[in-house]
Amino acid sequence: MGLDILDPAIQIDQTFIKPGKASWSWINSKDEYIIFDEQKKYIDFSADMNWQYCLIDVNWDRNIGYEKIQELADYAKGKKVSLILWYNSAGDWNTVGYTPKNKLLTSESRRKEFAKLQEMGIKGVKIDFFGGDGKSVIAYYHDILRDAADYKLLVNFHGATLPRGWSKMYPHLMTVEAVRGFETVTFTQEDADRQAEICATLPFSRNVFDPMDYTPMNLYKVNANVKRKTTSAFELATSILFLSGIQHYAESPEGMAHVPEFIKQFLRDLPVNWEDVKFIQGYPGKEVVIARKSGNKWYVAGINGENKEKMMTINLSGLATKGKVKLITDGNNIAEFSTQEFDVKDQITITVKPNGGFVLILD
């Protein structure tokens, strides 16, 4: 209903709007590594994984600079990767010191900055730390989106309010945080302990409405003094369960080096948009299984939100009548996966580990 009563999309050339997957160094190495060499490594990571984007986060203007960002943009273009740059929303309400700051506050300065980014070949902006839901702040979101459209820039709002359908009005709004995302897992053990429960709630709540920048899928381990409690197959399943116009993955090149080649190839081939969706089963905070279709394939992803083993019987009727089903689930150790292949059937029963998950591909 919310989408139905919204204004129609603004009239823009939509050829620049391309969904995709992105690498992102900050989730792994934080502020200190927003430097030239690290970002070049993540561009190479995106290229190797066939991901379309690389996000360069806070303080890039100070630690790398516009001239060297231009060099990175040119390098990325040669690898068929596009760059997204982080910005502080700034304003009197904002005491956060991260930069670039105060570049977007007025239409004049914003359009000047956006024109520079367009000339540099930058494809998108991530704008962070908005303050409140007051009328002037809501107007600020809309002003940014209208100006970004003029300069063919994709937009990600972080530290932001629930967008409530803005992605229909502004189709270049690729994603919005407005969620207790994976970055909180890297901060405290309490959040890591609750991750499975929270992730099993989000498909019923936040991600029902609008694209969600949870930044999922840490397959190996968290690079912090925190122990991830979910399994690697759980993490893999979130790449399908969660919807985001650009999916920013929480894995590093070093972590991906521990992942089997067939999982890497799965992630290279994973579609960036979906033609159909079916809710299979679940209950908020307990478990969820969702099927998504792209072309002739159905991808079924399930997660166990509880810290106990479950036998989950999955109804596959109506998804495919013939062909093969490939099951990917947890192996015995971290970043280990188990695979099986069998003929299509109406239902299968899967043993799902505590805080575990699985993916089924019906071809």
Side-chain angles (χ1 to χ4, degrees):
M1 183 179 69
L3 291 171
D4 287 342
I5 63 175
L6 278 170
D7 293 337
I10 59 173
Q11 296 301 305
I12 58 173
D13 172 12
Q14 296 193 20
T15 57
F16 74 97
I17 303 171
K18 299 183 187 301
K21 313 164 204 171
S23 66
W24 177 39
S25 74
W26 185 89
I27 193 69
N28 299 292
S29 48
K30 300 298 190 279
D31 303 352
E32 293 79 10
Y33 282 88
I34 308 300
I35 56 176
F36 183 91
D37 289 345
E38 183 81 349
Q39 302 315 305
K40 189 174 181 181
K41 180 175 73 176
Y42 272 79
I43 291 168
D44 290 338
F45 182 34
S46 283
D48 177 59
M49 293 303 300
N50 195 31
W51 296 348
Q52 293 78 10
Y53 297 97
C54 177
L55 167 62
I56 301 180
D57 220 278
V58 298
N59 296 336
W60 59 264
D61 58 325
R62 286 188 276 177
N63 297 343
I64 301 173
Y66 283 84
E67 185 176 332
K68 298 294 281 186
I69 286 288
Q70 178 70 76
E71 188 176 326
L72 286 173
D74 294 341
Y75 179 77
K77 184 178 180 180
K79 298 270 186 174
K80 297 183 179 180
V81 175
S82 298
L83 296 190
I84 301 166
L85 297 182
W86 184 96
Y87 280 81
N88 189 333
S89 70
D92 293 340
W93 63 85
N94 190 327
T95 59
V96 177
Y98 289 133
T99 62
K101 189 174 181 178
N102 297 317
K103 298 277 189 179
L104 309 181
L105 275 177
T106 68
S107 182
E108 182 181 6
S109 63
R110 185 166 57 243
R111 292 178 71 86
K112 181 179 179 181
E113 186 72 7
F114 286 173
K116 182 188 295 185
L117 296 184
Q118 184 182 39
E119 185 178 352
M120 293 168 65
I122 304 301
K123 298 302 182 183
V125 288
K126 173 183 175 181
I127 306 171
D128 206 344
F129 296 117
F130 288 87
D133 283 4
K135 185 176 180 180
S136 63
V137 179
I138 297 298
Y140 185 31
Y141 285 111
H142 288 266
D143 290 344
I144 288 171
L145 287 164
R146 283 190 287 267
D147 286 342
D150 288 344
Y151 294 95
K152 294 181 168 51
L153 291 171
L154 307 175
V155 177
N156 171 2
F157 287 138
H158 220 62
T161 190
L162 185 69
R164 299 175 178 88
W166 292 348
S167 57
K168 177 186 175 184
M169 300 167 66
Y170 306 101
H172 58 301
L173 177 60
M174 305 306 286
T175 193
V176 179
E177 186 186 27
V179 69
R180 196 183 185 101
F182 190 83
E183 69 177 60
T184 65
V185 174
T186 72
F187 295 150
T188 71
Q189 190 60 53
E190 179 184 2
D191 278 274
D193 292 344
R194 292 193 61 207
Q195 184 195 351
E197 172 202 351
I198 291 170
C199 287
T201 303
L202 293 175
F204 300 94
S205 53
R206 165 67 180 91
N207 211 189
V208 169
F209 210 81
D210 286 302
M212 176 183 75
D213 196 29
Y214 179 89
T215 65
M217 205 191 74
N218 177 270
L219 296 174
Y220 184 55
K221 64 180 180 179
V222 176
N223 294 321
N225 295 321
V226 170
K227 184 178 180 181
R228 200 191 76 216
K229 294 300 184 68
T230 58
T231 69
S232 292
F234 178 108
E235 294 292 321
L236 186 70
T238 60
S239 68
I240 297 165
L241 285 175
F242 295 162
L243 282 180
S244 181
I246 297 176
Q247 194 79 274
H248 299 84
Y249 288 135
E251 189 51 272
S252 66
E254 293 81 4
M256 195 66 82
H258 294 272
V259 174
E261 184 60 33
F262 76 92
I263 295 292
K264 295 179 190 176
Q265 195 58 49
F266 168 83
L267 291 168
R268 292 181 184 113
D269 298 338
L270 188 67
V272 296
N273 61 324
W274 305 103
E275 298 159 21
D276 198 2
V277 58
K278 291 183 184 295
F279 172 75
I280 305 297
Q281 66 189 55
Y283 188 89
K286 305 292 186 182
E287 63 185 61
V288 60
V289 182
I290 289 175
R292 302 194 188 280
K293 186 182 182 185
S294 177
N296 295 321
K297 289 186 179 182
W298 280 96
Y299 294 76
V300 183
I303 56 174
N304 179 1
E306 298 184 280
N307 191 28
K308 61 182 181 181
E309 185 175 279
K310 293 182 182 180
M311 299 292 287
M312 295 173 66
T313 300
I314 314 301
N315 183 357
L316 300 177
S317 61
L319 299 184
T321 57
K322 60 182 180 178
K324 293 290 185 180
V325 179
K326 183 173 185 178
L327 168 66
I328 303 174
T329 189
D330 288 297
N332 295 320
N333 299 303
I334 189 169
E336 264 192 23
F337 295 86
S338 172
T339 63
Q340 293 176 253
E341 192 170 286
F342 44 86
D343 292 331
V344 165
K345 55 184 76 173
D346 284 345
Q347 68 178 32
I348 65 167
T349 299
I350 303 170
T351 302
V352 185
K353 288 189 174 184
N355 301 337
F358 65 87
V359 171
L360 294 163
I361 305 117
L362 286 74
D363 195 349

